[in-house]
Amino acid sequence: MKKYIGTKEVMAEPMLKSVAVANGWARTSNDKVDLAGYHVQYNNPDGTTYDSWSPKDVFEKSYKCAETYVNRLYIELEDVESRHKKLAAFLESEYFRKIKEEGTKFLLTLQSMVMTQYSCILSQCINDKFVGDLPGMPFGIAIEALKFGLPVRRKGWNGKGMFVVKQVSCNVEGDVIPKMQSLPQPVKNILMKRKQPCINYTYQLLLVQKSGRADSWTASSSDIFADDWEIVMEE
């Protein structure tokens, strides 16, 4: 025999057992107290439905309300945190230390990191509040934030008010070039002599200082391997 885990989606509503008995969804009994429970409707493979009744404690141990997306987020968060707790215990066990393949150890450790961040993401979604902070945020996630136009910075930077942002690519047409303050006049003269003068700005990263100064920025090795990145929400 092997162990199996199944999932089933049902429709349900609170209902006393006496009401369920009256509708033929539960058997009569000699209970002295009218038991609280749920009227449960199951979907059969052929499209028909089957109605039954379940005691309150039995039903609530097996099912969680998933009527709204917030309900489903709570279910997902509870499941992720439960699984993460078991994984964390395994990573501290002798069984993990006995694994010889370093790649396997890396994947299990990475799984734990991602689950931590995923729990934080779910919590922010539930509260409908984006705070921009994920625990142990690596440079890879910072890059994804930059792609969405969000400014990022490292918590370990000494300079206050600094952040990195992705400059949006754009095409500057010829009629705008003479008005540009960022181009020297000799460059403008060369560009305007072309048949179709234009400048195509491609993506680049800018380090913006609190003073407003913006310089082209390239990540250093310490930036790439750091895990203290955060999304800037306010100064």
Side-chain angles (χ1 to χ4, degrees):
M1 299 290 286
K2 296 181 180 179
K3 182 185 294 185
Y4 290 85
I5 298 177
T7 57
K8 184 182 295 184
E9 184 176 305
V10 302
M11 300 294 291
E13 60 182 345
M15 181 176 288
L16 293 172
K17 186 174 183 180
S18 60
V19 180
V21 171
N23 283 278
W25 299 329
R27 296 180 179 178
T28 57
S29 64
N30 296 321
D31 299 322
K32 295 182 180 180
V33 180
D34 199 358
L35 299 178
Y38 286 84
H39 162 217
V40 186
Q41 189 175 82
Y42 301 90
N43 291 316
N44 296 319
D46 61 0
T48 60
T49 59
Y50 169 74
D51 294 275
S52 183
W53 182 85
S54 176
K56 186 176 184 295
D57 58 341
V58 174
F59 180 85
E60 293 181 350
K61 286 180 180 179
S62 301
Y63 296 97
K64 302 293 182 181
C65 183
E67 184 69 16
T68 68
Y69 83 94
V70 175
N71 294 148
R72 294 189 288 273
L73 288 174
Y74 270 113
I75 294 172
E76 182 75 3
L77 178 59
E78 184 178 308
D79 181 62
V80 171
E81 290 185 339
S82 175
R83 293 174 183 270
H84 188 207
K85 185 177 181 180
K86 294 176 182 178
L87 175 60
F90 175 75
L91 295 180
E92 295 295 327
S93 70
E94 186 65 27
Y95 297 102
F96 177 75
R97 288 188 285 272
K98 288 182 177 180
I99 296 176
K100 296 181 179 180
E101 176 56 47
E102 293 301 323
T104 301
K105 286 186 175 181
F106 160 70
L107 289 176
L108 289 169
T109 304
L110 179 62
Q111 180 184 350
S112 179
M113 292 171 56
V114 171
M115 292 176 84
T116 299
Q117 292 163 356
Y118 187 38
S119 293
C120 184
I121 291 170
L122 289 171
S123 296
Q124 293 186 34
C125 289
I126 288 171
N127 295 311
D128 196 22
K129 185 178 181 181
F130 176 59
V131 300
D133 189 18
L134 298 177
M137 185 167 154
F139 186 56
I141 295 182
I143 291 175
E144 294 302 315
L146 287 168
K147 290 179 181 179
F148 280 89
L150 298 172
V152 300
R153 67 186 171 200
R154 285 188 57 192
K155 294 179 181 179
W157 280 348
N158 293 324
K160 301 299 182 181
M162 295 192 309
F163 59 81
V164 176
V165 66
K166 180 193 72 175
Q167 186 177 26
V168 179
S169 63
C170 67
N171 182 57
V172 181
E173 300 293 345
D175 59 338
V176 179
I177 291 176
K179 304 174 185 177
M180 295 180 64
Q181 297 181 1
S182 58
L183 288 179
Q185 189 58 46
V187 176
K188 295 179 183 179
N189 295 338
I190 294 173
L191 293 174
M192 294 307 296
K193 290 178 181 179
R194 294 179 178 177
K195 187 176 180 179
Q196 293 181 325
C198 68
I199 297 178
N200 290 310
Y201 279 100
T202 56
Y203 295 122
Q204 63 174 320
L205 296 178
L206 296 177
L207 178 65
V208 181
Q209 308 280 353
K210 190 170 186 178
S211 63
R213 174 176 173 173
D215 298 300
S216 180
W217 182 82
T218 302
S220 66
S221 295
S222 60
D223 293 326
I224 292 172
F225 292 111
D227 58 2
D228 63 346
W229 285 93
E230 64 180 355
I231 298 171
V232 180
M233 303 300 295
E234 57 185 18
E235 288 290 354

